[in-house]
Amino acid sequence: ISGLSKFQHLQQVDVSKGKIQSLAALRDLHGLYVLDASNNELVEVLDFETPDGSNSETSWTGGECYIGSPLLKANLSHNQIFRVRDLSWFKRLVQLDLSNNKIQEIGDSLLNLTKLKTLTLANNNLKTCEGMPPFVQNLDLAANALTDLSPLSSLIDLQSIVVDKNRLVRLEELSECPLL
């Protein structure tokens, strides 16, 4: 995918169904809004960062302030991802699909994604649901190894959730989510 770096104004990129192991070549695509990198061999989540703001022609800025990647939607399903790194550079993400990977925990890597509304983590190896983005509305956690949903009780914007094929015994924790 290194050839894509020549096309710095691309807004949508579909590199699905390949043998891609890294997305680092996409770092020069400063107008990238939609990315489909599903069905590849990725081991890292969005392993590229946009520029640091030092060159106003190649960075996404608001006045003199660097505000991060404009990426809105990312599909990284069906890869080989084990862990989710800090995605603070991608503050504008609204939709993220990490289903069908090998993720075991989220940690605090998604906590700064305050605009993330739809998160799909189905068919992973999650044992805990701690670290979900604070304002997520649609959450798919199906087919994991979850036994407790209590970390989700603070998600006041949660409107839909899928938790089938887990090791859950009760769902009372979800009663704290007023919009569910």
Side-chain angles (χ1 to χ4, degrees):
I1 64 172
S2 60
L4 291 175
S5 63
K6 297 175 189 173
F7 305 100
Q8 294 182 1
H9 300 290
L10 283 175
Q11 294 181 358
Q12 295 185 18
V13 171
D14 184 340
V15 290
S16 61
K17 300 178 184 169
K19 294 187 183 274
I20 298 169
Q21 296 178 342
S22 173
L23 297 172
L26 301 180
R27 70 181 160 270
D28 293 327
L29 303 184
H30 312 300
L32 186 61
Y33 290 103
V34 179
L35 172 64
D36 185 350
S38 60
N39 295 288
N40 278 292
E41 297 174 2
L42 298 172
V43 294
E44 188 82 37
V45 176
L46 300 174
D47 63 341
F48 64 95
E49 293 176 358
T50 51
D52 63 5
S54 59
N55 181 344
S56 63
E57 292 181 19
T58 61
S59 62
W60 207 71
T61 61
E64 295 297 318
C65 178
Y66 175 64
I67 57 176
S69 170
L71 189 64
L72 297 173
K73 296 180 182 180
N75 182 351
L76 302 172
S77 64
H78 298 274
N79 277 288
Q80 304 295 317
I81 300 168
F82 281 91
R83 70 174 194 85
V84 181
R85 71 181 190 101
D86 180 12
L87 296 180
S88 297
W89 289 100
F90 302 93
K91 290 187 187 305
R92 295 187 65 206
L93 265 179
V94 174
Q95 184 176 331
L96 179 60
D97 187 344
L98 294 171
S99 62
N100 297 287
N101 278 287
K102 299 175 181 183
I103 301 169
Q104 296 181 1
E105 66 178 40
I106 298 300
D108 59 358
S109 56
L110 302 178
L111 292 178
N112 290 324
L113 300 181
T114 57
K115 295 184 188 263
L116 192 64
K117 300 301 178 201
T118 301
L119 177 60
T120 306
L121 285 160
N123 295 301
N124 277 287
N125 297 322
L126 287 174
K127 293 176 180 61
T128 178
C129 54
E130 292 179 16
M132 294 300 139
F135 302 109
V136 68
Q137 294 176 351
N138 307 296
L139 185 57
D140 188 345
L141 297 170
N144 279 288
L146 298 174
T147 57
D148 178 29
L149 296 178
S150 58
L152 302 180
S153 64
S154 64
L155 300 178
I156 59 171
D157 288 349
L158 191 62
Q159 296 176 17
S160 72
I161 188 168
V162 181
V163 291
D164 63 312
K165 299 179 184 170
N166 274 288
R167 299 176 183 161
L168 298 168
V169 177
R170 41 181 252 195
L171 300 174
E172 285 84 18
E173 299 92 344
L174 297 177
S175 65
E176 300 292 320
C177 304
L179 301 176
L180 193 59

